[in-house]
């Protein structure tokens, strides 16, 4: 054991002595000119290193440098600027007069991928073969890099004519082998339009065909998105898949994609081009898609759990700029989306077999297919959305078939005063996409058929019978106490928040109904009259016959939260009794006339 310890101690002394001698005998500044020449010869980029180079021995033999910059040929701004650079070098190649750099580390670097940092050819320069190999150096030195690290850096990315994006707190660890197979560990964050995105990526990269083509695999991309116009809890999730980047065509593809966003889960593929005009094509399948958990405009849950709202106040010196459709990236993008969702949730509505086929051409979105099942019913809402102007213009052709009414009323924040099912075919248009916009700025009409209608807490037949019983005991009605209106159909129209019911007709076996009036969604008021004809009256034959054919109006009016009712059964019955009494009096007078005429 003592011999082993002695041997290790001797080896340690030799290594320390060798490294010390190397530090004393080799001046790292002798490598400066070589590194500059090699970088320019192999890539054409110009490397500048300020200050003296110095050795750093522990824990890794390294060369430390001060401020450095890397500039593309003809570019007005450097691609990379760093306050500090560290080159980890291999010891044994250095002893044989070879510089083998195992890792390059940049701290507080600024990386620019912008038009100003792109390489530019001199005017009149000849165009050489794209894949021409650089001329090899004969000075006896070799240059090799296997690892790259960036710490606390900034990436500025901008396409020609596009907006600038700043990726802050950029940390990158890239390790590649001799065949250009690399592993990547990256984290960064970006803030834009009062929203914050934090990203952490782990994956594999094949750079054998760089800079023309990159392929790889995303093992896990964890992200967190929060800020303005997003849910209070933000959006969190993970993305994985196989990716490809074609630099010559500025195109990307992502296959075998697995995406989670809060409690939503999707899979599919994506491809597109990021150069202007940008093009994206998405094909997605969702096992679960909870839109209410991904949108800030989702309705508040009815659960008894208290809701704590956090209010973010904008500093006075940072007055928010008014935004309109001109700020939307969709105005510079061609997008196609195909989405199938087994189950989806929107504004509390549970949808199944949701199918969406949509396209966007620089701000004009076409919904060629938006359909699915809602409970036991079905819906289809094709149309267009135009954001090429400051105000969004919407055109929709909704079709509903046997859809439950009460959940729809709740989803659109309307009083749940009706139960039953509805079928309709409509044509709507207007400005704005929110629920409030639909209530105030949309117009159109629809053919409507409602089945098994029931007014909440109102039994029309019972109201009429009780009102008649209070006025007269000459007639009774023993029909079943059925509250439903079996069917009601007609045409309705919407005009900037005012729903007009010109003439809806229907009824059930013992009740005929005709409705008319209007409902103002903006002011939350209504004035609707339901003309009812209740059949099945018995008792006095003449009065029963009259009541079976008599229309009785029920008027509902006022604010939704404080509705007023008017059911003038006494007036109707009194008029009928007066008419009956007058008729009988006339008949008696007619009988008296012949008797008076006799001598």
């Amino acid at each position: 054991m003592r011999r082993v310890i002695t041997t290790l101690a001797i080896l340690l002394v030799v290594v320390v002595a060798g490294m010390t001698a190397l530090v004393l005998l080799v001046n790292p500044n002798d490598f400066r000119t070589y590194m500059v020449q090699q970088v320019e010869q192999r890539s054409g980029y110009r490397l500048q290193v300020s200050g003296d180079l110095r050795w750093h021995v522990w824990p890794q033999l390294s060369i430390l440098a001060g401020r450095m910059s890397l500039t593309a040929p003809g570019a007005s701004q450097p691609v990379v600027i760093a306050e500090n650079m560290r080159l980890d070098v291999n010891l044994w190649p250095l002893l044989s007069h070879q510089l083998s750099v195992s890792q390059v580390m940049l701290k507080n670097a600024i990386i620019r991928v912008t038009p100003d940092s792109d390489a530019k050819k001199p005017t009149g320069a000849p165009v050489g073969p794209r894949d021409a190999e650089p001329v090899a150096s004969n000075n006896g030195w070799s240059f090799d890099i296997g690892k790259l690290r960036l710490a606390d850096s900034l990436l500025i990315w901008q396409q020609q004519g596009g907006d600038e994006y700043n990726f802050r707190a950029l940390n990158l660890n890239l390790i590649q082998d001799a065949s250009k197979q690399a592993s990547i560990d990256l984290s960064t964050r970006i803030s834009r339009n009062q929203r914050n995105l934090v990203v952490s990526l782990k994956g594999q990269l094949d750079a054998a065909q760089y800079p023309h083509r990159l392929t790889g695999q995303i093992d896990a991309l964890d992200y967190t998105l929060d800020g303005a116009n997003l849910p209070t809890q933000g959006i969190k999730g993970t993305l994985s898949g196989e990716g490809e980047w074609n630099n010559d065509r500025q195109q990307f593809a992502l296959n075998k994609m697995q995406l989670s966003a809060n409690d939503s889960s999707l899979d599919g593929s994506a491809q597109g081009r990021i150069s202007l005009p940008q093009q994206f094509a998405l094909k997605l399948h969702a096992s679960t898609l909870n839109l209410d958990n991904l949108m800030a405009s989702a309705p508040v849950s009815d659960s008894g759990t208290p809701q704590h709202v956090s209010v973010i106040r904008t500093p006075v010196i940072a007055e928010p700029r008014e935004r309109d459709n001109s700020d939307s990236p969709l105005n510079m993008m061609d997008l196609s989306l195909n989405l199938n969702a087994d189950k989806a949730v929107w504004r509390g509505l549970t949808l199944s077999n949701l199918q969406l086929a949509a396209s966007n051409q620089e701000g004009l979105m076409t919904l060629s297919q938006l359909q699915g099942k809602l409970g036991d019913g079905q819906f289809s809402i094709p149309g267009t959305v135009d954001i090429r102007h400051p105000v969004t213009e919407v055109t929709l052709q909704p079709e509903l078939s046997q859809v439950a009414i009460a959940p729809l009323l709740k989803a659109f924040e309307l009083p749940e005063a009706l139960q039953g099912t509805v079928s309709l075919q409509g044509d709507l248009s207007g400005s704005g996409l929110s629920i409030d916009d639909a209530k105030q700025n949309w117009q159109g009409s629809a053919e409507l058929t409602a089945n098994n209608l029931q007014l909440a807490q109102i039994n029309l037949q019972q109201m009429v019978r009780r009102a008649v019983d209070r006025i007269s005991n000459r007639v009774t009605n023993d029909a079943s106490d059925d509250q439903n209106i079996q069917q009601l159909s007609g045409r309705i129209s919407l005009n900037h928040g005012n729903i007009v019911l010109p003439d809806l007709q229907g009824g059930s076996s013992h009740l005929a109904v005709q409705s008319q009036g209007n409902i103002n969604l903006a002011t939350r008021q209504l004035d609707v009259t339901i003309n009812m004809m209740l059949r099945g009256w018995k008792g006095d034959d003449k009065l029963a016959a009259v009541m079976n054919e008599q229309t009785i109006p029920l008027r509902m009016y006022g604010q939704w939260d404080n509705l007023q009712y008017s059911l003038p059964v006494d007036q109707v019955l009194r008029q009928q009794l007066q008419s009956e009494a007058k008729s009988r009096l006339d008949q008696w007078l007619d009988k008296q006339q012949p008797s008076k005429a006799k001598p």
Side-chain angles (χ1 to χ4, degrees), residues 247-263:
N247 190 57
D248 298 332
R249 298 181 179 179
Q250 294 286 290
Q251 293 179 344
F252 73 91
L254 182 61
N255 299 311
K256 298 182 180 180
M257 181 173 63
Q258 299 287 334
L259 173 65
S260 66
N262 291 347
D263 56 349

Side-chain angles (χ1 to χ4, degrees), residues 108-177:
N108 296 325
I110 300 177
I111 302 101
R112 294 182 179 272
V113 184
T114 66
D116 293 336
S117 64
D118 284 345
K120 296 179 177 58
K121 294 181 180 180
T123 304
V127 179
R130 185 186 66 179
D131 299 326
E133 294 293 334
V135 179
S137 174
N138 295 320
N139 56 10
W141 292 86
S142 62
F143 188 72
D144 185 24
I145 300 176
K147 299 179 182 179
L148 173 64
R149 287 189 61 191
L150 298 175
D152 300 327
S153 299
L154 168 67
L155 170 62
I156 303 175
W157 182 80
Q158 181 185 22
Q159 287 291 301
Q160 186 71 40
D163 294 334
E164 183 178 281
Y165 297 87
N166 295 330
F167 296 84
R168 303 181 184 278
L170 176 64
N171 293 279
L172 171 66
N173 190 6
L174 185 149
I175 303 174
Q176 69 173 352
D177 57 21

